[in-house]
Every structure is written in structure tokens, then in C-alpha cells.
């Protein structure tokens, strides 16, 4: 029993130490805002919008884009579409008779997945700055101006923003995004951040390189490749967007597991970047490896050791340990933990990462290809929230 307790305390200490170090560095440095030397400017901008069966919301998204606080004569909207519900026709009708912004519509004859569609759209984008956004998100009116100001810094090649409001009223998702904001602010002040966000990411056009055609973490992959090529990729918490997220546990689990799978595959495929590219490879990437790869396994092992130890000492009463974990999960999934809700948000992300890593390990053990066609199905419930 003593050894079990020692193992449990050791696991807890090992799991928590990097987070304590992170918090210590955060409060010592107290980073805030963007690390870039910003300056107002108005470069020409291409806004890339990938669509698939978005007929219910594409017009409202286009209305948002043309009403942004930016001179529309300097904007091109690149829509790449493989829909079978008439989305492309709605896009054409929306721009009929409009002089600005310019529309570049790419109609795909077959659905190939998001990454190939984005590669084609990025190649077609003609302007100095390329911004990628999603139909199921909403960006702040000043987002382009703030992104352009960040990109005026010669060292900065890409910038992403913050999910300032979770559409769909998910406290779990909101809590996780608040923690993620702290992490990304510090990463950006150290060097660069890893995770880029689909609702709003901006890139210098000349810095863009092709992404893997089976990528399911396309925005973060592009940012990572840009950093490997010498450009700095940062997070500006003053660039705001809204993104729809499920509040119902099962649907949110599927959403988060897919994100986790994409990020784990990205880290593994780009593992040779560890230790390279300045503080990015020596500090930022190792922390993300710990958070996404190592820590979830330690959390799962800690729960298993605590359960075994409880059963060994207390017999059937030891089932209180797994029951407590299940109760914590059930309450947290219902946004019912009050001040402990942020802790559950972190735990929830670790569970998604653990599930995703188990799936990847099984696939490799079975000799399955690590491929994914990158397609997605529009979520009707979230579309209704947006409408």
C-alpha cells in the first residue's frame, strides 16, 4: 500500500510540475496583449472561406465580411466550395452587381477534403495578406485591422486571435479557451504559439506553404511550417471572434476528440522541430508535447493507481474513488461545478487527448494508415444557433 501511495503522489507531482513552472513563469513575466510591434496599415487582403453545404448560413457570413471595418476595395473574398446544396449559387447571387469586394469562387467538382481545398484557395489568393475564416464563426469588425497591424512587424509572419465568446453557451468550452488564452499569450511572448484557430488566422501571403492533404489541424500545421521557415507566429488576444460550440456532452466530446487527434498527429509528424528554431523548439513545443502527449497518460495512470489503491485498502468502499471521478465528470459536463469548472475544462481536454492518443496507438499497432480525408459534416444544431 505504501508503494501505491508513493506511486500516486509521484504521478501527481510529475503531472503537475510543468504546469506549476508555467504558472510561475507567467506570473513572473506577466505577459499581456500582443508581443508584436504593431503599426496601423491597410494592405490588400484575401479572405479565404471554405464551404460545404452552408446554404443556411453562408449569406449571413458574407454579410459579416463585407461589413468589416476595412476598405472593401482592398479586399478579395476567395470561396472554395464543394457543396451539393446550392451554396456556390448563393455566393454568386450575393456578389451579383457588387463592385467590391472582389469575389474569387472556386467550384470543386468533387469533395476532396478541407486541406486540398485550402491549398487551392491559398494558391489563388492574390493579395498581400491572407485571412482564413470559417462559416460557423463570427469575427469582430476590427479583426482585419488588428491583424494587419501585427503583421507590420517584420518578424511576424502570421497571427491568430481569441475566442471571445462561445456561441452555444458551453461553460466547459469557455473555461478551456480561457486557459488556452493564458498559454498562448505566454508562448507568443517567449517566441511563437503552436495552435492557430480556424475562425480567424492571418498570414503573410509570401509565407504560406502547402499543408498535408490529409491534415485535420490545417491552421496549426500552416503556422508551424511558417515558424520552421523562420517567421514568427503569434497570438493576439485583442483579435476577437466567436465560434459555435456544443454544450451537450456527447457532441462536445466528438468535437474535442477530433481537434485532439489533429494536434497529436501534427506534433508527431513535425517531431523533428523539437529543440530547434530558438525558444519555439526548446520551450514552446516541449510544453505542448507534455500537455498533449505525456500528461494525459499520467492523468489516466493516476486515476487507475488511485482506484487500485482505494480498493486494496477499503475493499468495496474503494469504489468511491472511481465514483468520485465519474461524479466530477458528470457535474462538469453539465457546467455545474461552480468555481471548479475551469479545473474540469482542463481535465476534459486531457481526456480528449488521451482518447485520441489511444486511437492513434491502436491504429499504428494494427498497421493502419494514419490518414484522414479531411472532410467534415456541417452540424445542423450549431447552424441553427448561428441563424
Amino acid at each position: 500500500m505504501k508503494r501505491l501511495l508513493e506511486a500516486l503522489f509521484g504521478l501527481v507531482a510529475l503531472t503537475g510540475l510543468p504546469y506549476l513552472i508555467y504558472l510561475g513563469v507567467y506570473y513572473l513575466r506577466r505577459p499581456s496583449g500582443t508581443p508584436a510591434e504593431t503599426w496601423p496599415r491597410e494592405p490588400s487582403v484575401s479572405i479565404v472561406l471554405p464551404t460545404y453545404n452552408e446554404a443556411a448560413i453562408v449569406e449571413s457570413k458574407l454579410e459579416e465580411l463585407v461589413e468589416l471595418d476595412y476598405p472593401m476595395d482592398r479586399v478579395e473574398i476567395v470561396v472554395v466550395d464543394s457543396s451539393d446544396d446550392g451554396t456556390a449559387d448563393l455566393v454568386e447571387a450575393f456578389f451579383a452587381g457588387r463592385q467590391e469586394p472582389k469575389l474569387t469562387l472556386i467550384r470543386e467538382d468533387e469533395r476532396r477534403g478541407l486541406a486540398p481545398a485550402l491549398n487551392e484557395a491559398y494558391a489563388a489568393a492574390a493579395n498581400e495578406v491572407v485571412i482564413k475564416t470559417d462559416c460557423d464563426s463570427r469575427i469582430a469588425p476590427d479583426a482585419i485591422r488588428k491583424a494587419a497591424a501585427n503583421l507590420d512587424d517584420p518578424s511576424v509572419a502570421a497571427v491568430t486571435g481569441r475566442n471571445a465568446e462561445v456561441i452555444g453557451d458551453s461553460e466547459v468550452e469557455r473555461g478551456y479557451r480561457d486557459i488556452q488564452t493564458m498559454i498562448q499569450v505566454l508562448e507568443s511572448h517567449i517566441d511563437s504559439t503552436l495552435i492557430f484557430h480556424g475562425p480567424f488566422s492571418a498570414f503573410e501571403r509570401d509565407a504560406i506553404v502547402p499543408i498535408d492533404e490529409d491534415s485535420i489541424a490545417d491552421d496549426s500545421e500552416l503556422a508551424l511550417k511558417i515558424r520552421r521557415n523562420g517567421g514568427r507566429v503569434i497570438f493576439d488576444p485583442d483579435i476577437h471572434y466567436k465560434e459555435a460550440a456544443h454544450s451537450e456532452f456527447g457532441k462536445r466530446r466528438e468535437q474535442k476528440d477530433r481537434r485532439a487527434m489533429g494536434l497529436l498527429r501534427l506534433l508527431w509528424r513535425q517531431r523533428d522541430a523539437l529543440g530547434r528554431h530558438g525558444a519555439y523548439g526548446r520551450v514552446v513545443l516541449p510544453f505542448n508535447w507534455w500537455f498533449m502527449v505525456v500528461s494525459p497518460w499520467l492523468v489516466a495512470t493516476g486515476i487507475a493507481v488511485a482506484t487500485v489503491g482505494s480498493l486494496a485498502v477499503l475493499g468495496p468502499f474503494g469504489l468511491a474513488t472511481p465514483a468520485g471521478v465519474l461524479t466530477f465528470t458528470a457535474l462538469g459536463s453539465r457546467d455545474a461545478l461552480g468555481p471548479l469548472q475551469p479545473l474540469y475544462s482542463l481535465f476534459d481536454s486531457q481526456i480528449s487527448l488521451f482518447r485520441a492518443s489511444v486511437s492513434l496507438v491502436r491504429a499504428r499497432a494494427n498497421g493502419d494508415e494514419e490518414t484522414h480525408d479531411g472532410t467534415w459534416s456541417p452540424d445542423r444544431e450549431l447552424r441553427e444557433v448561428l441563424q
Side-chain angles (χ1 to χ4, degrees):
M1 180 58 196
K2 181 181 178 182
R3 289 184 178 178
L4 276 174
L5 284 173
E6 289 174 346
L8 179 60
F9 285 124
L11 283 169
V12 171
L14 185 61
T15 304
L17 182 60
Y19 301 109
L20 292 175
I21 293 173
Y22 171 85
L23 285 172
V25 173
Y26 184 89
Y27 284 108
L28 282 174
R29 296 193 60 159
R30 297 191 179 275
S32 63
T34 176
E37 295 185 9
T38 61
W39 189 261
R41 65 172 183 137
E42 292 182 348
S44 59
V45 173
S46 295
I47 302 176
V48 169
L49 180 67
T51 58
Y52 175 71
N53 287 358
E54 307 284 9
I57 60 172
V58 70
E59 290 171 303
S60 62
K61 179 65 178 183
L62 293 173
E63 285 284 2
E64 173 206 37
L65 295 180
V66 301
E67 292 175 4
L68 292 172
D69 177 22
Y70 204 79
M72 286 295 118
D73 61 339
R74 301 190 61 74
V75 174
E76 166 197 33
I77 296 182
V78 182
V79 178
V80 55
D81 180 77
S82 57
S83 303
D84 55 21
D85 70 342
T87 296
D89 295 332
L90 290 172
V91 171
E92 280 193 327
F94 181 89
F95 281 94
R98 289 179 183 267
Q99 298 300 312
E100 53 192 41
K102 175 187 174 184
L103 170 66
T104 298
L105 176 60
I106 303 170
R107 291 178 180 261
E108 295 193 310
D109 295 331
E110 60 179 351
R111 193 179 183 204
R112 298 177 297 156
L114 180 57
L118 285 174
N119 282 334
E120 188 172 358
Y122 289 148
N127 291 335
E128 301 166 79
V129 170
V130 177
I131 290 172
K132 188 259 181 174
T133 187
D134 295 329
C135 251
D136 60 350
S137 65
R138 297 292 178 260
I139 59 179
D142 61 357
I144 296 181
R145 289 194 179 278
K146 289 185 175 179
N150 277 274
L151 294 174
D152 186 68
D153 186 327
S155 70
V156 175
V159 61
T160 191
R162 177 189 179 194
N163 189 356
E165 180 181 338
V166 179
I167 305 171
D169 198 30
S170 170
E171 285 290 338
V172 175
E173 187 66 15
R174 185 179 296 111
Y176 172 69
R177 293 305 174 99
D178 289 343
I179 293 169
Q180 188 179 57
T181 293
M182 290 179 60
I183 293 172
Q184 291 197 266
V185 167
L186 180 56
E187 288 177 344
S188 297
H189 280 262
I190 290 173
D191 185 302
S192 296
T193 190
L194 171 69
I195 297 175
F196 261 48
H197 303 289
F200 188 91
S201 294
F203 310 93
E204 290 283 359
R205 183 184 180 277
D206 292 342
I208 292 176
V209 295
I211 54 179
D212 295 344
E213 294 206 343
D214 64 342
S215 177
I216 49 176
D218 47 274
D219 306 292
S220 294
E221 179 183 325
L222 179 53
L224 194 155
K225 288 183 174 180
I226 289 173
R227 180 63 190 90
R228 293 188 64 146
N229 289 338
R232 195 173 176 192
V233 294
I234 63 170
F235 172 85
D236 183 353
D238 290 332
I239 298 175
H240 290 175
Y241 65 83
K242 305 175 185 179
E243 183 182 24
H246 284 291
S247 56
E248 195 273 318
F249 180 75
K251 292 183 178 180
R252 188 177 65 251
R253 173 92 288 127
E254 182 180 348
Q255 205 176 27
K256 290 180 72 69
D257 286 1
R258 176 184 168 86
R259 290 175 186 165
M261 179 76 74
L263 289 168
L264 286 171
R265 286 178 56 197
L266 175 62
L267 285 174
W268 178 251
R269 290 182 177 184
Q270 302 291 331
R271 61 190 178 277
D272 62 327
L274 280 167
R276 303 168 61 189
H277 316 294
Y280 185 69
R282 294 194 299 268
V283 179
V284 173
L285 287 182
F287 177 80
N288 279 280
W289 268 81
W290 185 270
F291 181 81
M292 297 184 198
V293 180
V294 180
S295 178
W297 286 88
L298 291 177
V299 169
T301 303
I303 292 173
V305 169
T307 300
V308 170
S310 297
L311 290 171
V313 174
L314 302 174
F317 294 104
L319 291 173
T321 296
V325 173
L326 290 174
T327 301
F328 177 73
T329 302
L331 292 174
S333 68
R334 291 170 174 78
D335 300 332
L337 283 174
L340 293 179
Q341 197 63 44
L343 181 61
Y344 173 76
S345 300
L346 184 62
F347 176 75
D348 186 60
S349 69
Q350 295 287 283
I351 296 302
S352 283
L353 288 161
F354 177 72
R355 286 163 56 95
S357 61
V358 168
S359 296
L360 287 172
V361 169
R362 283 178 177 172
R364 292 183 67 84
N366 293 332
D368 296 338
E369 290 285 330
E370 272 190 68
T371 59
H372 191 286
D373 64 6
T375 58
W376 77 98
S377 299
D379 190 297
R380 292 183 180 179
E381 180 183 327
L382 294 185
R383 266 59 180 170
E384 288 174 2
V385 170
L386 284 165
Q387 286 175 278

